[in-house]
Amino acid sequence: MKIRRIAAGATLAISSLIAASPASAAVIFADTVIDFFNSGANPSFPTGSYGGTFPGSFPVAVPLSNATDGNAATFVSLPTGSYITLGFSGGFVFDGAGLDIFVSEVGGADETANVYVSSDFGASFTFLGVATTSTVSGFDLASIGYTGNVNAVKIVGLDNFGGSPGFDLAFVQGLEGSVVVNPVPEPTSLALVALGLLGAATAARGSRG
Ligand SMILES: [Ca+2]
Ligand SMILES: [Ca+2]
């Protein structure tokens, strides 16, 4: 009887771990830069990318990774007509219950940006909505009847407002319930893939004689 109780407790603990793991993993940031365009609408930074840290120093020249680092304090500014296209390398976003895609703007000087979604890594886009200032704007893919899997998002600045002129993009995110996270290949499956490739190469050589 004693052994049975211990076994039942162990089973419960394992199943809680299994139930808990997807929730912590199912948050993905747009973590790759696919495209960037500086319109030159801010004459102080006609080329390259600028933005800063909020609170902190701005506008200063910054890397585009300020928009992909998942950090709400670091940003890239998008003055009128400038855009950045970001991809999700860790999975994709789909129309789950409620809001699906989140776009963060820091500071707050009435800046806005158009948000577009793509299912072909930025080859084509569909307009989703307008992100607003000093908040994390949430979007529901159902609001535009979008049924595709989103793997890229494009943000287009609409103004030159603020201390760092334009929409100050901090991050783009998909949340639990609306994302599918790519499985991480285990070393054993990677080894099998390598073996398979080796086998295919050997077979190809053999068939060429
Ligand atoms: Ca939704
Ligand atoms: Ca950031």
Side-chain angles (χ1 to χ4, degrees):
M1 288 302 285
K2 194 176 185 182
I3 290 168
R4 190 177 292 169
R5 276 207 309 276
I6 292 166
T11 307
L12 183 67
I14 290 165
S15 51
S16 345
L17 279 175
I18 291 167
S21 58
S24 56
V27 175
I28 58 174
F29 286 98
D31 57 355
T32 59
V33 177
I34 295 174
D35 198 8
F36 171 73
F37 172 68
N38 179 349
S39 68
N42 176 7
S44 300
F45 289 91
T47 59
S49 52
Y50 69 93
T53 304
F54 187 87
S57 59
F58 53 85
V60 293
V62 296
L64 295 175
S65 58
N66 270 22
T68 58
D69 58 8
N71 182 345
T74 57
F75 63 90
V76 172
S77 295
L78 300 168
T80 311
S82 300
Y83 63 77
I84 191 167
T85 302
L86 303 177
F88 295 95
S89 74
F92 61 81
V93 187
F94 64 94
D95 178 25
L99 302 174
D100 311 301
I101 292 176
F102 298 80
V103 177
S104 174
E105 202 275 347
V106 293
D110 293 329
E111 302 104 313
T112 54
N114 281 338
V115 179
Y116 300 81
V117 290
S118 171
S119 294
D120 49 18
F121 297 100
S124 61
F125 289 96
T126 302
F127 178 66
L128 177 59
V130 176
T132 56
T133 196
S134 192
T135 190
V136 180
S137 299
F139 298 91
D140 186 355
L141 289 169
S143 68
I144 58 167
Y146 200 87
T147 55
N149 295 332
V150 175
N151 49 36
V153 175
K154 183 179 186 178
I155 314 292
V156 184
L158 295 175
D159 57 73
N160 290 335
F161 303 152
S164 187
F167 187 85
D168 303 312
L169 179 66
F171 63 78
V172 177
Q173 189 182 36
L175 288 187
E176 182 193 355
S178 296
V179 301
V180 167
V181 178
N182 290 336
V184 177
E186 289 176 16
T188 48
S189 34
L190 283 176
L192 285 172
V193 168
L195 275 175
L197 288 173
L198 189 66
T202 309
R205 269 201 302 276
S207 69
R208 277 202 304 270

